[in-house]
Amino acid sequence: MSGDLRHAVLQANLDTVRHGLVISTFGNASGIDRAAGRILIKPSGVPYDRLSAEDMVACDLDGRAQDNRLRPSSDLATHAVLYRAFPGIGGVVHTHSTYATIMAQARRAIPCLGTTHADYFYGTIPVTRDLTPDEIAQDYVGNTGRVIAETFAELDPLAVPAVLVAGHGPFAWGRTPAEAVHNAQMLEFVAQMAWHNMALNPDPQPISEALLDRHYLRKHGAQATYGQGDVQ
Amino acid sequence: MSGDLRHAVLQANLDTVRHGLVISTFGNASGIDRAAGRILIKPSGVPYDRLSAEDMVACDLDGRAQDNRLRPSSDLATHAVLYRAFPGIGGVVHTHSTYATIMAQARRAIPCLGTTHADYFYGTIPVTRDLTPDEIAQDYVGNTGRVIAETFAELDPLAVPAVLVAGHGPFAWGRTPAEAVHNAQMLEFVAQMAWHNMALNPDPQPISEALLDRHYLRKHGAQATYGQGDVQ
Amino acid sequence: MSGDLRHAVLQANLDTVRHGLVISTFGNASGIDRAAGRILIKPSGVPYDRLSAEDMVACDLDGRAQDNRLRPSSDLATHAVLYRAFPGIGGVVHTHSTYATIMAQARRAIPCLGTTHADYFYGTIPVTRDLTPDEIAQDYVGNTGRVIAETFAELDPLAVPAVLVAGHGPFAWGRTPAEAVHNAQMLEFVAQMAWHNMALNPDPQPISEALLDRHYLRKHGAQATYGQGDVQ
Amino acid sequence: MSGDLRHAVLQANLDTVRHGLVISTFGNASGIDRAAGRILIKPSGVPYDRLSAEDMVACDLDGRAQDNRLRPSSDLATHAVLYRAFPGIGGVVHTHSTYATIMAQARRAIPCLGTTHADYFYGTIPVTRDLTPDEIAQDYVGNTGRVIAETFAELDPLAVPAVLVAGHGPFAWGRTPAEAVHNAQMLEFVAQMAWHNMALNPDPQPISEALLDRHYLRKHGAQATYGQGDVQ
């Protein structure tokens, strides 16, 4: 079980590179074993081509590393806050993928402009407010997680499994590390679509509620469990 | 014959990937044996790198699968409507290629801005109207085909072998599955040109009727059969 | 000698693909043996991966093929007009490279916005006027060459070795087929720069005459012969 | 020692190609041995795939080559001025990377729009003024270095290790040749982000001083030495 999660977290980190979602080493993926109360996350500063499953760093839900060999990703505290705030999620991914980062820097939420968006995100993908100087000075990384949680106060994090952190970049999540990576990849695609639409029309027209419901609910509605739908 | 079509449909599906027209598994290509009244289409949810010719699912023109092993693509009903509405076509391709999807989401028809467009599409590539809530609630996939057919009420589908479905993405077709893929690839190219033109000038100037005729008719006019022209 | 030119023309055609300047089969390169009065050009419709030096089609300067095995590129007449109009050139390349085609479709000349442009093109890269319906109806391909020559009535074609044909795409040339390809590649780069500048500022500021002269004349001035300069 | 620097300069030149920062041969990287007063720089006109460590040309700080075998890059005088003006740097890289060149041609400084920018550049990346006709006519390459130094009269070149030369392209530097290349790569990324932001909003909002300080100073502040921070 624990070994499976190690491999899943390793694979999630490698897949962010394979899908072109990170430049240099700017990305990290994690997974959680809820029963054991243990997060596994990419170590800090190890090149992707040398990562092994054994390198994934075990931490508790307060973001303290439980082994000493390698230090965890410097974004661990954000992951830990998200796991505590969103009990349904099992994996978190942070990338600097091109268009999602552009939208995060432009502080532009991504409205639902097409059916691919609707297949994965049930409505607008939000952008956080800016952190205050105090929030930045004290526990900056943890507060990044808290401002995400605040942004989702009225939202279901599994219905909209991604966010743009203002002036920073995207975080995505899912029930598993693999699903988090897939959501990060879909976020990049819909961000690319949205940027190009906004360049032609600053206020592009979202698809209808009916079409959003049709696409989202065929895979995620009351008659389905999250992620069990056949994605085509 | 049937074996040839199986291979042609498999190849068309693989070529959509090779030409970069699909992300993840978001695409499907089909072909039709008009004499046998049989459509062959990509199965749902099988990864592209494991697809074989035998996996292509045989269906009738009402969109009912004729074998039980694999389920057909969830877009089958759209393909089936197009085969019934456009008797001259032999292959249909659906992709989420980048710029064609951007234009579909922006609901911007693609005017003929250059000679490559004119070589393949005899005038503006249209965008469908939005589906109504009722059309979405009942037989959504079939109605996607019907709104395409409605868009072509006054158009020759072989003279303009592609469409942008509003808020969704492109469909392209041709006399064969291979030609449908080639048209999907050309659609992506002309959509890329058009987007970049519209970003500089919201209402770009089409080429003259004379130039459109010169390019289109050298390959597709009364003195040629469709597709027999030498493409250079 | 003739064998050398065959290989140079083959290589030029292959290099247009290698540099990403053509999509599908939309491109052609040629070279001329001025002493023999013979043009060698890519044949029409042969896939790039099967082209051999022997496949290059020999033609006279009126654009008549001199051997029967393969038909020459359908753009031969344009090449032939350019060789007659510009006695100093030894190679011609036609591509549909992305940004050069976008600028040709937008009918936007490319001002000299930077030093790379100045290294290769001594001032604005012009766009032709539209052809008239009569010019399109009669000898369209030859008239494409003539409208290019008309555009260069007051310009030195070796000082500005490329043009944008309105609503169509770019042609580039040089003293050799290899130089023509290199100019086509540089044209694509400066077109990409120019498009991105125009998207921020419809009327971007060219570099100074002094800087244009400094960059261009170090390689092409009175104290140098064309192309002998060391490109760094 | 000297052999190590030769290999470091070779590797820096190869890495500019590997990271897609140069087209054709338009780029050069150098390093300096401050104790020996010797610069090593890429030779002029040698194709990248044939470069060896032995080909790196040794020069003094006045920009005079110290060996005769190969001529140094034609941009050597710019590098030499930068090494004299910025005593803390150990490597310089010049590229024509796409978005940094676009911003240089558009004469748009790059404000700090996101945390990746803040991780590497402590505030706005400046653009130089245009050179005067006299500066272009006399010692143009050296004056390119002088106008960069002038631009940094009030700036710490290690806190903002890159510049856009108006109408030309970017230069980046660092304590080592490898760091200079990494900064050139990060410059390209932040230029890409900035261009896309400016295309949506001509005057995009920088991140707060507090966030800039948080990101920059965790790696470069009084309690750290430059470049010793763990980059994540």
Side-chain angles (χ1 to χ4, degrees), chain D residues 9-130:
Chain D
V9 173
L10 171 65
Q11 193 59 47
N13 277 292
L14 298 179
D15 284 347
T16 58
V17 177
R18 185 167 63 90
H19 292 310
L21 303 177
V22 304
I23 65 157
S24 193
T25 61
F26 308 151
N28 39 73
S30 69
I32 189 167
D33 179 338
R34 294 260 174 205
R38 197 166 68 152
I39 298 166
L40 285 166
I41 193 166
K42 173 171 169 282
S44 182
V46 179
Y48 281 92
D49 54 6
R50 285 185 235 151
L51 280 182
S52 72
E54 290 312 303
D55 291 337
M56 301 300 115
V57 184
C59 316
D60 65 25
L61 265 85
D62 293 321
R64 281 184 298 256
Q66 293 178 320
D67 52 32
N68 299 313
R69 202 167 56 87
L70 289 168
R71 280 182 303 137
S73 161
S74 60
D75 286 319
L76 167 62
T78 308
H79 291 241
V81 170
L82 295 180
Y83 285 120
R84 295 200 305 268
F86 303 157
I89 69 175
V92 172
V93 170
H94 175 46
T95 78
H96 284 214
S97 70
T98 304
Y99 284 99
T101 303
I102 287 164
M103 298 299 274
Q105 293 193 1
R107 295 172 177 75
R108 298 287 301 257
I110 303 177
C112 182
L113 302 176
T115 55
T116 303
H117 184 125
D119 283 335
Y120 289 91
F121 305 98
Y122 193 39
T124 299
I125 299 165
V127 60
T128 68
R129 66 168 172 80
D130 284 0

Side-chain angles (χ1 to χ4, degrees), chain B residues 105-200:
Chain B
Q105 293 192 2
R107 295 172 178 75
R108 298 286 302 254
I110 303 176
C112 182
L113 302 176
T115 54
T116 304
H117 184 124
D119 283 335
Y120 289 92
F121 305 98
Y122 194 40
T124 298
I125 298 165
V127 58
T128 68
R129 66 169 172 79
D130 285 1
L131 291 175
T132 67
D134 275 359
E135 288 169 332
I136 292 165
Q138 293 168 15
D139 192 14
Y140 165 63
V141 182
N143 283 330
T144 297
R146 280 174 208 108
V147 79
I148 295 171
E150 175 190 316
T151 305
F152 279 74
E154 310 289 321
L155 289 171
D156 174 356
L158 279 170
V160 182
V163 73
L164 307 172
V165 178
H168 186 155
F171 280 81
W173 48 80
R175 290 170 311 131
T176 63
E179 192 176 288
V181 173
H182 193 57
N183 288 337
Q185 189 188 6
M186 294 303 105
L187 171 63
E188 177 60 13
F189 179 73
V190 301
Q192 183 183 20
M193 298 295 110
W195 183 89
H196 282 83
N197 264 275
M198 289 178 182
L200 296 188

Side-chain angles (χ1 to χ4, degrees), chain D residues 143-163:
Chain D
N143 284 330
T144 297
R146 282 176 205 106
V147 79
I148 294 172
E150 176 191 313
T151 305
F152 279 76
E154 311 287 323
L155 289 172
D156 175 356
L158 280 169
V160 181
V163 72

